[in-house]
Amino acid sequence: MNSDQKDSKSYKGKSPGNYPTFVKYIGLSFQLFAIIGGGTWLGWWIQQRSDMKFPVWILFFSFLSVFIAFYQLWLSIKRDG
């Protein structure tokens, strides 16, 4: 018996929904962190290449990424409910 067969037998009969709820939300927290961090970094990157003194791009992409992250959270909660 090779290792692939052992792995498939150990997970046989377990559906992905059998994990504790906190495991899902830990993964979701990393996803939200990545969305907000990526949006803020993108705003900073664009701001560095523009000649504007007021940080318009950082603010715009930061708020946009927070909105997207909360929308993703809302969809996840709606799917669970």
Side-chain angles (χ1 to χ4, degrees):
M1 190 180 317
N2 62 21
S3 64
D4 291 336
Q5 291 173 341
K6 288 180 187 177
D7 290 339
S8 66
K9 285 187 178 185
S10 65
Y11 292 111
K12 190 174 184 179
K14 293 184 180 179
S15 66
N18 289 341
Y19 296 110
T21 306
F22 71 90
V23 172
K24 177 182 178 185
Y25 290 110
I26 287 174
L28 185 62
S29 68
F30 284 113
Q31 184 179 6
L32 298 179
F33 176 74
I35 291 170
I36 295 170
T40 304
W41 178 83
L42 179 64
W44 174 82
W45 185 77
I46 293 172
Q47 187 68 41
Q48 293 296 316
R49 277 135 187 83
S50 70
D51 291 332
M52 301 165 124
K53 290 187 179 192
F54 188 75
V56 174
W57 297 112
I58 295 174
L59 291 172
F60 174 73
F61 282 104
S62 294
F63 286 126
L64 180 65
S65 63
V66 167
F67 174 75
I68 291 169
F70 276 114
Y71 182 71
Q72 183 72 22
L73 177 65
W74 180 70
L75 288 177
S76 177
I77 291 172
K78 183 178 156 184
R79 196 174 330 133
D80 288 345

